[in-house]
Amino acid sequence: MTAPPPALPAKLHPLVRTFLDSPDAVAQALSRFGAPAHLVFPQVYAENLGTFRAVLDRHLSSYRICYAHKANQSRAFVRTAEHAGIAIDVASPQELACAIGAGFGPTRIEVTGPKGEVFLRELIDCGVTINVDNLWELHRIAELAGDDAGVPVLLRISGFDAGQVSRFGLPLNHIRRAFDVLSAHRGRITFLGFAFHLDSGDTAERIRAVDACLALVEQAYGHGLTPTVLNIGGGFRQVFTADADRFDAYVHALRESLLGRGESMSWGSNTFGYHVADGAVHGIPVFHKYANTIPATTMLDDVLTAPLERHGGRTVAEVASDNLLDFWLEPGKGLVDHAGVTVAKVEFVKEIADGTVLVNLDLSRDSVTPADQEVMVDPLVLPGTAHRPAPDAGAVAARAESAPVGVYFAGRLCLERDLITNHKVWLAHGPSPGDLVVFPNTGAYHMDLSAATASMRPPPIKLAVTHRAGSFQVCRDGDYEPSGPAAIPPQRHSAPRQPVPHRTAEAP
Ligand SMILES: *Cc1c(COP(=O)(O)O)cnc(C)c1O
């Protein structure tokens, strides 16, 4: 026996695993609604939300979760969020319309991201909370709002660490100008507090940002303002891999192959963001997030329990509570983790001149990943109904290639670059036309963040899969309705609760 081939085993939620293992369940859904398809699992989303709430409940009496809609266009997730009583973070007129259509009232909607004139006017009219990105926006709100409009506003801050460049948010050193606008327009603008959002998975960076925002709260009081919200954004990581050691071994073999050692493992001249020079592989690959093993809720717990030096070692959660601050967060991928997969069909298998095997699918790369990324999780192959060996021995023998085979998955577009995997994937045996290929955990930013309608092909259909009363039910994403009693949304922040800022070690 030789060593098993390099592999990137996927972590799967048990509910998703059970659905994929149910005989013909996936094939039946596809034959009923069409292929390829994105499958979303709202119950997994709801479970993720439960784990976030459990962590928050342990440390805080007052918090608000705003689901970051941009992680997925799924209406089923938005309905699940609404039904569960949380808030939503939207970043476009279309996401706003989806949220309103799914039942969110303005007091549970927060709008982030860059907003142009037209969108800004719409937001002021709707009465949603505006998370302000820049001074132009703030000035424009002050100009457009009626005298007593009291437009609820958060200030998004950035530039906490020197050398950390972000295109978003108000740089820390422009804050005086923002305070001046807010003080001059109290009737028009209701200043709720400070926000940030970091893409990084670095907890220390997040804690420095929290600390800087707490200092801003104190400064704001000096300007006669009374902020009550601290919004720490999203960025809570996903866990893709089921086996960190095998992941590391795969990456090791891939790096070796880039140096010309062992079997080639990359399509064309791909180096995945590595820089190959002087007989060594340098740098951080584009796929580094797939190596993560720390769950979102552990990251959140770490932030909440981090001691703050400037506050006598009291934790982030304690300082927020002491100061009667409402703690907000905007998880996107953390809520969607493991709540979606993408299924395609094998059209044909071909061998090219150098012997490389290509498995051609009825899907394009942008339906499972943005082009500049590389999904480092092995897809699963489910035998197609037509090719499942019959119980008699002759048919079993028909499955010719029974040894592991290293392949690349190719897309349906007439473009050289439409390779779904640019890294080699080993399958237990060569697939056949009609087999189904499942890409795990594509719910967040994989399935529809970058999908285009190239060659006039529509994107895959989106279906919601639910387990109810002992069986799976599949419907169109847009038709999904959560079951059970709806949660009562928490009351909104603007109830004029007089904050008595508990001054900390630094207090005057
Ligand atoms: C994208 C985004 C989020 C969600 O980020 P995740 O990494 O998916 O948690 C939250 N807030 C803002 C402002 C964003 O742009």
Side-chain angles (χ1 to χ4, degrees):
M1 240 348 253
T2 47
L8 296 163
K11 183 171 186 233
L12 286 174
H13 188 279
L15 188 79
V16 177
R17 170 103 259 172
T18 306
F19 180 68
L20 298 178
D21 286 346
S22 311
D24 295 334
V26 182
Q28 272 168 18
L30 266 56
S31 70
R32 182 163 156 225
F33 293 101
H38 298 303
L39 309 181
V40 297
F41 294 80
Q43 290 164 319
V44 177
Y45 179 104
E47 189 182 306
N48 291 337
L49 176 56
T51 63
F52 267 87
R53 281 176 156 163
V55 172
L56 290 158
D57 285 337
R58 259 206 309 281
H59 301 293
L60 293 166
S61 54
S62 176
Y63 61 83
R64 164 177 287 224
I65 299 174
C66 306
Y67 164 50
H69 190 343
K70 83 166 186 286
N72 197 301
Q73 294 175 20
S74 165
R75 184 178 182 281
F77 290 157
V78 174
R79 274 298 298 138
T80 304
E82 195 285 321
H83 188 79
I86 62 169
I88 191 161
D89 158 15
V90 299
S92 71
Q94 292 74 17
E95 287 182 3
L96 175 62
C98 175
I100 293 170
F104 283 95
T107 58
R108 278 202 290 157
I109 300 177
E110 178 210 359
V111 187
T112 58
K115 310 152 200 82
E117 173 84 17
V118 174
F119 193 27
L120 212 47
R121 283 174 185 265
E122 184 186 348
L123 300 179
I124 292 169
D125 287 346
C126 303
V128 296
T129 295
I130 305 179
N131 189 333
V132 167
D133 173 72
N134 57 65
L135 286 172
W136 172 82
E137 262 180 33
L138 190 61
H139 280 292
R140 210 63 197 110
I141 295 167
E143 286 160 9
L144 293 169
D147 276 342
D148 302 311
V151 176
V153 153
L154 291 164
L155 287 185
R156 177 164 174 184
I157 310 295
S158 66
F160 301 104
D161 287 355
Q164 272 288 356
V165 186
S166 171
R167 58 168 285 215
F168 297 112
L170 191 74
L172 262 183
N173 56 359
H174 291 181
I175 195 70
R176 274 299 299 263
R177 285 143 76 183
F179 285 157
D180 289 344
V181 180
L182 294 171
S183 311
H185 299 283
R186 284 158 202 278
R188 292 164 178 252
I189 300 177
T190 301
F191 176 51
L192 299 183
F194 299 96
F196 63 84
H197 168 67
L198 304 172
D199 261 341
S200 128
D202 184 355
T203 297
E205 199 182 323
R206 227 167 234 97
I207 292 161
R208 283 194 295 277
V210 167
D211 200 30
C213 286
L214 289 169
L216 290 180
V217 170
E218 292 172 21
Q219 280 183 40
Y221 272 92
H223 286 75
L225 300 163
T226 52
T228 57
V229 174
L230 172 63
N231 178 343
I232 67 160
F236 304 97
R237 288 285 154 108
Q238 298 179 261
V239 178
F240 290 91
T241 185
D243 187 332
D245 291 340
R246 289 201 82 180
F247 183 92
D248 290 345
Y250 184 101
V251 173
H252 178 76
L254 179 65
R255 292 170 62 116
E256 289 290 295
S257 80
L258 290 173
L259 295 170
R261 299 181 196 133
E263 183 174 343
S264 169
M265 291 171 66
S266 52
W267 174 258
S269 52
N270 275 286
T271 57
F272 310 102
Y274 284 126
H275 171 59
V276 183
D278 309 323
V281 177
H282 310 270
I284 296 170
V286 293
F287 53 69
H288 68 276
K289 70 177 179 188
Y290 296 96
N292 178 52
T293 54
I294 299 166
T297 44
T298 304
M299 268 182 76
L300 177 59
D301 200 271
D302 288 348
V303 171
L304 290 170
T305 57
L308 294 170
E309 218 175 289
R310 235 171 40 83
H311 296 263
R314 293 185 60 77
T315 66
V316 167
E318 287 165 348
V319 175
S321 302
D322 291 349
N323 288 281
L324 298 181
L325 288 172
D326 239 346
F327 194 90
W328 290 22
L329 58 163
E330 302 163 346
K333 59 187 178 243
L335 290 179
V336 178
D337 199 16
H338 296 291
V341 300
T342 299
V343 189
K345 230 177 229 165
V346 175
E347 299 280 27
F348 58 87
V349 181
K350 77 185 266 186
E351 199 176 304
I352 58 172
D354 64 358
T356 298
V357 179
L358 294 183
V359 178
N360 225 90
L361 303 182
D362 61 353
L363 185 79
S364 48
R365 177 178 176 84
D366 62 10
S367 292
V368 284
T369 177
D372 59 345
Q373 305 266 311
E374 179 75 9
V375 177
M376 295 295 272
V377 182
D378 284 343
L380 317 174
V381 178
L382 312 178
T385 333
H387 302 274
R388 177 146 341 102
D392 67 284
V396 173
R399 182 143 224 143
E401 309 98 316
S402 58
V405 49
V407 308
Y408 297 94
F409 285 92
R412 65 188 179 179
L413 294 180
C414 230
L415 295 169
E416 284 288 359
R417 67 158 192 273
D418 194 25
L419 263 287
I420 295 173
T421 63
N422 281 314
H423 66 283
K424 190 174 280 183
V425 177
W426 274 268
L427 303 175
H429 42 69
S432 311
D435 284 352
L436 299 179
V437 179
V438 180
F439 293 88
N441 206 4
T442 55
Y445 305 116
H446 288 78
M447 56 175 68
D448 56 21
L449 188 75
S450 304
T453 51
S455 290
M456 300 179 73
R457 288 180 183 277
I461 189 170
K462 195 172 282 177
L463 305 173
V465 182
T466 329
H467 193 253
R468 278 177 189 157
S471 70
F472 284 101
Q473 288 159 26
V474 182
C475 67
R476 285 173 208 280
D477 173 72
D479 295 338
Y480 171 79
E481 267 310 309
S483 62
I488 296 166
Q491 270 313 293
R492 103 158 277 171
H493 41 80
S494 65
R497 187 184 54 174
Q498 243 340 294
V500 186
H502 171 100
R503 293 312 179 159
T504 50
E506 292 269 293

